[in-house]
Structure formats: C-alpha cells, structure tokens
Amino acid sequence: MARIVDERAKTAEHDPLDRTGFGIRTLREQLAEITGDVHHYVTVLAEDLYAASQYLKIVDALRSAGRACEAERWARRGLGIGNPIDQAKLRDAYVDLLFERGAADEALALRWQRFDEHPTKSHYRELRRTAERLGGWSELRSEALDRIRHATAKRPAFADHLVDVLLDEGELDEGWRQAVDHADDLLESRWHQLINLRQPTHPQDVIGPWQRLIQQRLDTSTDKYRYNKAITMLRRLSDGYRATGDTTGLDTYLADLRKLHGRKTSFIAKLDRTDL
C-alpha cells in the first residue's frame, strides 16, 4: 500500500496551493507512522511543512522516541507558522521541552517576547501560566498589566484584550473604566458582560452604555431581530433607572426615543405593547 501511495503522490495532480492532494498526504503520513520508523515518519511529515500542526506531529514523534533535542529544534523552527490555535499548541510543546531541559528562563523569555509582539489575552494567559510554573507570577503580574495597558494606549484595537485580562484578574473597576475610555473599540457582547457585572452594584453607571447599545441596535438595519433586541435592552435599562430612584428619567428617555425613531412604526408598535 505504501508503494502504491508513493507512486500516486508522484503523478497525482496538485491542489490549488501546489501541494499533493489532501487524501494522499494524509494516507502517506498514516502509513509512515504505523511503521514505527520515526526517521521515515519525520521525513514524510517534513515534505509538507505548511503549518504549525505539522511541526507539532514531528515534535510529538521525536519526544516519544526520547529524542528531545531534535524535538526542540523542530519546535523552534515551526514557531510563527500556521493558524493561531496550532501555533499556541506548538509553543506549549516547546515550553515543555525547555522546562524538561532545565531552561525555564528561556521558556519565560519566549512568552514575554510573544506577549510584547502581540499583547493579546491569550498570550497574557500563556505568560501567566508559564510564570506560575516558575512560582514567580506575583512579581511579574504588575509588569504584564502595565505592558498591555501601554500597548492599548498606543493601539486601541487591543482594548478588548485589556478589558478581558482585567476582568480575569479580578480588576473589575479598572476593567469598567478602560471600557468607558474605549467604548467604540469593544464589541456589543463585551458590553453586555460588563454591564451584567456592573449593574447590580452601580446601576447609575450602566444607563449611558445601555442607551448607546440600544441606539446602535436600532441603527443596524441588517439585523432583522434588532427591534426585539432593543426592547430586551430597554427592559434592562428600565431596571437601571428604577435602581437609581430616577422615576422620571426613563419617561424622558422613552419620549425622546419615540421622537427620534417615530418612522420605525414596527418598533414603535412593539414598544407600545411593552409595560415600560
């Protein structure tokens, strides 16, 4: 079977990416794996190093064979190739190899480097996980938070990552403040999470965000459920007004809303049917 597949691999038409067809590649790798010949298996895998997942297969095979030094070299070669999920798995394997070799400082340096290049919530958690293995996270936590704050100040696109990290670290008040400062850089789902955390203790803080979310939803003409979603948010907004003791604020807001969106007759009809 291996001979037939090898012959087919030489003559088969390549895919649009100029690679051997998926079925042939997969079967060749599987056949090479079950031979138990690690060198042959790695050779076959190395013919198509298109993603981190391919490097990870090689690393796993070499580690299982007790060839940690070679596995480490292959892991290092594959860093930064392929999709983020496979890259993260390969980095984890590389960090494990570094720890096994007693090079924990190199492992931590790798995490810092990746975090500084892309200060995302996933890279922050990788850094924290590795620092915790070393027992030194408490000393590094403040530095890591400062770096992601600084990155967000320069590039607001990282705001959602910063807020997520702060919530994960239990820094709820700062997470809210950062969200307010970067209101337009966060997704609606993030705002719902933040409001759910904030409304029970600080109902006055969520009134503005609820109003902004309602307006955004009503303006989203591509969402056929926008009116129902807006009504749901209006009910939560009314809870916020009641919790603050503002008995006239909601009436004033609803009157302004009716005036602003009076031409949206379907929405007004739904609003009339509520008990707001």
Side-chain angles (χ1 to χ4, degrees):
M1 184 180 290
R3 178 181 56 78
I4 294 172
V5 173
D6 284 343
E7 291 175 355
R8 182 62 180 274
K10 296 175 183 177
T11 59
E13 184 176 346
H14 285 200
D15 66 15
L17 297 178
D18 198 30
R19 296 163 56 200
T20 304
F22 174 80
I24 296 174
R25 292 200 318 271
T26 302
L27 187 53
R28 286 192 72 217
E29 291 175 9
Q30 292 173 343
L31 289 168
E33 183 179 14
I34 63 175
T35 64
D37 185 338
V38 175
H39 177 75
H40 175 55
Y41 180 45
V42 170
T43 299
V44 172
L45 290 170
E47 292 176 3
D48 192 31
L49 297 172
Y50 65 95
S53 59
Q54 204 75 346
Y55 286 89
L56 186 58
K57 291 177 185 178
I58 294 175
V59 170
D60 289 342
L62 292 170
R63 287 183 74 184
S64 298
R67 295 159 62 175
C69 290
E70 294 176 70
E72 187 178 324
R73 287 197 296 271
W74 277 100
R76 187 165 53 249
R77 284 178 57 185
L79 294 177
I81 298 175
N83 67 68
I85 294 176
D86 289 334
Q87 286 184 38
K89 292 178 180 177
L90 184 61
R91 280 196 303 275
D92 286 344
Y94 185 37
V95 165
D96 287 342
L97 286 164
L98 289 172
F99 267 91
E100 291 170 9
R101 182 164 61 83
D105 289 343
E106 291 183 38
L108 186 61
L110 172 69
R111 296 302 200 193
W112 273 119
Q113 178 185 2
R114 188 61 180 167
F115 178 63
D116 286 336
E117 291 172 348
H118 300 282
T120 64
K121 54 191 176 185
S122 59
H123 295 154
Y124 179 92
R125 288 165 185 156
E126 290 177 359
L127 172 65
R128 181 177 64 186
R129 191 168 63 247
T130 299
E132 287 173 343
R133 289 177 69 176
L134 286 166
W137 175 241
S138 58
E139 293 82 7
L140 299 178
R141 178 179 180 274
S142 295
E143 175 66 19
L145 288 174
D146 283 344
R147 292 193 191 189
I148 194 170
R149 289 187 192 104
H150 181 68
T152 302
K154 295 174 62 178
R155 296 181 59 188
F158 289 117
D160 187 75
H161 295 278
L162 172 59
V163 171
D164 197 3
V165 164
L166 290 169
L167 295 182
D168 198 33
E169 291 287 351
E171 302 290 344
L172 304 186
D173 287 339
E174 185 186 353
W176 179 262
R177 291 195 300 271
Q178 291 286 355
V180 171
D181 290 343
H182 298 279
D184 296 332
D185 301 308
L186 302 182
L187 297 175
E188 181 179 309
S189 57
R190 178 67 68 197
W191 271 113
H192 280 288
Q193 179 193 17
L194 288 161
I195 290 172
N196 287 335
L197 291 170
R198 193 75 174 177
Q199 186 157 342
T201 55
H202 298 79
Q204 70 279 2
D205 291 351
V206 306
I207 289 176
W210 271 133
Q211 292 177 351
R212 185 172 60 254
L213 290 175
I214 291 167
Q215 185 63 45
Q216 290 175 353
R217 187 49 45 199
L218 291 173
D219 290 340
T220 307
S221 59
T222 56
D223 181 5
K224 63 180 180 180
Y225 302 110
R226 61 190 180 278
Y227 296 157
N228 289 334
K229 293 177 181 177
I231 294 296
T232 299
M233 287 189 279
L234 276 167
R235 293 186 185 280
R236 296 292 312 281
L237 172 61
S238 70
D239 293 339
Y241 272 110
R242 292 191 184 97
T244 63
D246 187 353
T247 57
T248 61
L250 178 62
D251 291 337
T252 301
Y253 170 73
L254 288 174
D256 292 340
L257 195 67
R258 287 175 180 276
K259 183 178 180 180
L260 181 62
H261 296 284
R263 294 184 179 182
K264 296 182 173 71
T265 55
S266 295
F267 170 65
I268 297 299
K270 288 179 181 294
L271 184 58
D272 289 338
R273 290 194 293 271
T274 70
D275 56 355
L276 296 173

